[in-house]
Amino acid sequence: RMKYYDVLVLGAGIVGASTALYLQAAGRSVALIDRSEPISETSYGNAGLIQREAVVPYSFPRDWGKLFNYAFNRLPEANLHWSAVPSLIPFLYRYWRQSTPERAAATARALKPLVERSVAEHEALAQRAGTMHFLRRTGFLLLYRDPAKLAAQLQEEEIAAQRYGVVYAAKTAAEVRAMEPGVTGDFAGAIHMPQAVGTGDPGTVGRAYVRLFQDGGGDVLTGDANELSPDGGGWVMQSAGLRGRDVVLALGPWTGAIARRLGFFLPMGVKRGYHMRYAARDGAPLTRTVIDKDYGCAITPEPPGSIRVTTGAEFARLDAAPTPVQLAKAEPALRAAFPLGERLMAKPWVGARPCFPDLLPAIGPVPGLRGLWVNAGHQHLGFTLG
């Protein structure tokens, strides 16, 4: 016997959980469905930042020298699987085309109203979910060893401030040491992004949102999105015994594959990333996330006294075996600059950031497929925009 809901939300990451909560608040009967435990995939292992300042997108580099270095994995912030290049070319080409200054500016204008609401919306949910104590209003620091690179980025931030109202502050090496005594690396200075809110435990925050949904009467169920099919003006998942008038695909990096099976195309790519957890030396003297720009890694203090390091982007097939070479390259330098003790995990965790070429999420109904909606492709800002 089928159980009926107004909406089936497929994917129980931060985006799916929040979608389910807001639909529930609008009076819909909602089932949140995933093949895995909620908040156990990409939403579990990120840097935990709500990036109120993140208007300007991570554009594809257009400098040929930098492209050469990325192609041959000479820069630690990125890693390319050459075996995946044939399947990656269509996405990378679209990403490159969308990264002109004019198109990047269009993306920034579109992102601005989304990121401007991110902190307020998260805090509203956190108040209801009882997780306000997990949120830190300390912003984050972008750390630079090279004064020239710091000066160049400050110029970029000033442009973003004038165009989009981004708030930033330059910090000297002495000011960095005063803010974060645990940062002992030889940094020339930093850029402080004070409007961002951080959490050392995004997984716990996300799971609290799921519990809030359940406390409101929502159902969290196990099911495989591959079983979804249209049926008589609605949608069914036969073996799970579920029927919905509407369906939201909030499957993160798996959304593109389900879309193809249902007969429409999403130009989605993925950027994989890794994290490792460490014991904190000297009582975890970090008070906020810091990002080492030379190595593309975010270093985040976790309660009650550990540190999580998350890497930059890896371009690979979604199902490829993990290759945490970026972490291996960066770890010696990170140990010299930050209070990292012994590893607390047997192997690095890997997740995948779902991206569209213009780095804007796809949110809305699918033309020609009544009752089918998409909310996916939030790139590096999944926790922020979720």
Side-chain angles (χ1 to χ4, degrees), residues 42 251-257 268-270 318 352-354:
T42 308
L251 294 157
W254 295 276
T255 306
M268 179 178 281
V270 297
L318 178 59
R353 309 170 182 101

Side-chain angles (χ1 to χ4, degrees), residues 123-386:
E123 289 187 339
L125 289 179
Q127 288 278 8
R128 294 171 55 202
T131 57
M132 280 296 290
H133 61 290
F134 283 103
L135 303 183
R136 297 186 297 255
R137 278 188 162 274
T138 52
F140 68 93
L141 288 170
L142 298 165
L143 298 168
Y144 290 83
R145 291 174 178 80
D146 185 339
K149 289 182 179 179
L150 173 59
Q153 189 58 43
L154 283 169
Q155 289 182 338
E156 293 294 321
E157 298 301 342
E158 181 57 29
I159 293 171
Q162 293 177 12
R163 290 181 179 174
Y164 312 115
V166 171
V167 177
Y168 74 98
K171 298 295 178 182
T172 65
E175 288 172 326
V176 169
R177 287 191 294 271
M179 294 174 72
E180 295 292 345
V183 175
T184 56
D186 186 19
F187 293 102
I191 302 172
H192 183 218
M193 297 300 189
Q195 291 182 307
V197 172
T199 175
D201 199 344
T204 294
V205 172
R207 287 189 292 273
Y209 293 174
V210 174
R211 287 194 299 273
L212 181 62
F213 168 70
Q214 291 176 294
D215 291 344
D219 290 336
V220 177
L221 306 172
T222 301
D224 188 343
N226 283 296
E227 296 184 357
L228 180 70
S229 61
D231 182 75
W235 297 85
V236 297
M237 299 178 71
Q238 199 70 40
S239 66
L242 299 174
R243 177 186 293 275
R245 183 189 64 204
D246 292 276
V247 172
V248 180
L249 302 181
L251 294 157
W254 295 276
T255 306
I258 299 301
R260 285 194 298 274
R261 194 183 66 77
L262 295 174
F264 68 101
F265 174 67
L266 292 174
M268 179 178 281
V270 297
K271 299 181 186 180
R272 302 204 310 180
Y274 297 82
H275 86 226
M276 172 54 66
R277 297 178 63 245
Y278 300 83
R281 298 198 315 264
D282 308 319
L286 291 180
T287 63
R288 78 201 79 215
T289 294
V290 296
I291 297 175
D292 189 328
K293 290 296 290 183
D294 285 336
Y295 292 91
C297 291
I299 300 90
T300 299
E302 300 178 318
S306 57
I307 294 174
R308 185 172 64 256
V309 172
T310 54
T311 70
E314 179 178 75
F315 293 92
R317 289 191 299 269
L318 178 59
D319 59 353
T323 54
V325 295
Q326 293 160 278
L327 187 65
K329 290 176 181 178
E331 191 174 270
L334 298 181
R335 286 188 179 280
F338 307 103
L340 303 183
E342 71 272 15
R343 286 187 170 195
L344 299 179
M345 299 162 60
K347 58 183 180 180
W349 177 90
V350 61
R353 309 170 182 101
C355 303
F356 288 106
D358 60 359
L359 296 185
L360 290 173
I363 305 173
V366 178
L369 290 171
R370 183 181 176 185
L372 188 64
W373 302 71
V374 170
N375 190 5
H378 296 77
Q379 42 115 348
H380 296 259
L381 302 176
F383 191 68
T384 297
L385 299 178

Side-chain angles (χ1 to χ4, degrees), residues 3-215:
K3 187 169 184 181
Y4 176 83
Y5 295 87
D6 293 332
V7 189
L8 308 178
V9 177
L10 302 187
I14 188 68
V15 172
S18 299
T19 299
L21 270 168
Y22 281 97
L23 287 168
Q24 183 183 67
R28 308 295 200 278
S29 63
V30 185
L32 180 62
I33 304 161
D34 205 305
R35 63 184 180 184
S36 306
E37 288 294 313
I39 318 293
S40 62
E41 299 285 355
T42 308
S43 295
Y44 165 75
N46 54 74
L49 287 173
I50 306 169
Q51 290 188 248
R52 169 64 178 76
E53 88 300 335
V55 177
V56 180
Y58 291 95
S59 294
F60 196 91
R62 301 181 75 81
D63 173 81
W64 289 107
K66 199 166 189 178
L67 281 172
F68 179 86
N69 286 329
Y70 278 140
F72 290 94
N73 294 325
R74 293 183 175 183
L75 298 174
E77 66 262 32
N79 186 52
L80 172 67
H81 282 202
W82 272 90
S83 61
V85 166
S87 62
L88 291 174
I89 283 175
F91 170 73
L92 291 178
Y93 174 67
R94 292 186 182 98
Y95 187 12
W96 176 79
R97 286 197 64 196
Q98 288 290 337
S99 295
T100 64
E102 296 77 17
R103 290 178 176 177
T107 290
R109 290 192 296 271
L111 279 175
K112 186 174 185 287
L114 297 178
V115 300
E116 283 181 340
R117 290 293 305 165
S118 59
V119 171
E121 295 293 342
H122 265 286
E123 289 187 339
L125 289 179
Q127 288 278 8
R128 294 171 55 202
T131 57
M132 280 296 290
H133 61 290
F134 283 103
L135 303 183
R136 297 186 297 255
R137 278 188 162 274
T138 52
F140 68 93
L141 288 170
L142 298 165
L143 298 168
Y144 290 83
R145 291 174 178 80
D146 185 339
K149 289 182 179 179
L150 173 59
Q153 189 58 43
L154 283 169
Q155 289 182 338
E156 293 294 321
E157 298 301 342
E158 181 57 29
I159 293 171
Q162 293 177 12
R163 290 181 179 174
Y164 312 115
V166 171
V167 177
Y168 74 98
K171 298 295 178 182
T172 65
E175 288 172 326
V176 169
R177 287 191 294 271
M179 294 174 72
E180 295 292 345
V183 175
T184 56
D186 186 19
F187 293 102
I191 302 172
H192 183 218
M193 297 300 189
Q195 291 182 307
V197 172
T199 175
D201 199 344
T204 294
V205 172
R207 287 189 292 273
Y209 293 174
V210 174
R211 287 194 299 273
L212 181 62
F213 168 70
Q214 291 176 294
D215 291 344

